[in-house]
Amino acid sequence: DKEDPADGEHEETETPYSPETLESNGIPLENYKIVISSEASAAERYAAQVLQDNFRKAGQNVPDVVTDDTAETEYEILIGQTERKEDEGINFSLLGDESYIVKTAGNDLVIAANEKRGAIYGVYAYLDALGFRYYTTDCEKIPEKKDVFIAKDVDLQWSPTFIYRESMAEST
């Protein structure tokens, strides 16, 4: 039973999805390195690969993946939990298995997550903010090369309400 808007009451409506509007920091992707922990989990390594694969699909020069035991460079994309100073101040113990924080730190992009699925979800959240869309296994939208970059300013965070996922689909 809904309220009649003529009575001065209004019904609650859900805010429609609106994608992030990101602005490039102006630094070419080819100048970046993707940094993972020297003890990165399989999920963190996979997240780095997903990022590379999607940059490649958009026609971008793909940053190399290096570990955090290499010398720090001026432009880095950090995935997971690394030993870099940009990860200081992030309380990883409060992040759940699927939680992530995507933020800029100077010229660097930080996709902070624990060793489980959060790194993958963080990478996909950033790609989504750039305009990548995945509709089915063989239908996806890849943005133009000029629209794939490291953002000047981004702040995305997510932590699921429930820790359990299950498909309700029945096989036939």
Side-chain angles (χ1 to χ4, degrees):
D1 206 31
K2 295 184 179 181
E3 298 287 333
D4 183 358
D7 292 340
E9 297 289 326
H10 62 279
E11 59 187 76
E12 278 190 42
T13 58
E14 186 174 322
T15 305
Y17 171 76
S18 63
E20 296 290 321
T21 303
L22 300 178
E23 183 181 338
S24 173
N25 68 5
I27 301 164
L29 274 176
E30 64 199 36
N31 294 359
Y32 278 84
K33 299 280 188 206
I34 297 173
V35 181
I36 58 175
S37 170
S38 60
E39 299 173 5
S41 67
E44 291 166 324
R45 288 190 304 276
Y46 177 71
Q49 179 185 339
V50 165
L51 193 61
Q52 283 184 309
D53 290 347
N54 281 278
F55 285 167
R56 186 175 294 110
K57 287 179 186 179
Q60 281 287 359
N61 293 318
V62 179
D64 292 331
V65 176
V66 299
T67 57
D68 60 0
D69 56 1
T70 61
E72 191 166 341
T73 62
E74 189 174 0
Y75 307 112
E76 296 186 328
I77 302 167
L78 309 177
I79 296 180
Q81 184 174 359
T82 68
E83 294 296 321
R84 298 291 201 242
K85 66 182 180 307
E86 290 79 9
D87 280 350
E88 293 173 8
I90 297 173
N91 191 340
F92 286 89
S93 65
L94 295 179
L95 292 176
D97 291 347
E98 298 180 351
S99 303
Y100 60 79
I101 297 170
V102 179
K103 67 177 188 165
T104 50
N107 292 319
D108 295 339
L109 177 66
V110 177
I111 302 175
N114 283 323
E115 60 191 30
K116 303 244 175 154
R117 296 168 299 279
I120 297 167
Y121 292 132
V123 164
Y124 277 118
Y126 185 70
L127 292 169
D128 181 70
L130 291 175
F132 287 83
R133 298 291 182 272
Y134 313 94
Y135 301 110
T136 66
T137 55
D138 60 353
C139 181
E140 56 191 20
K141 177 184 173 272
I142 306 299
E144 294 181 32
K145 180 178 179 177
K146 67 178 179 54
D147 296 325
V148 178
F149 49 76
I150 300 303
K152 183 189 311 188
D153 186 35
V154 64
D155 184 14
L156 306 170
Q157 298 184 33
W158 185 73
S159 189
T161 305
F162 299 102
I163 59 170
Y164 183 73
R165 295 179 187 212
E166 179 177 352
S167 171
M168 300 301 281
E170 292 184 27
S171 62
T172 55

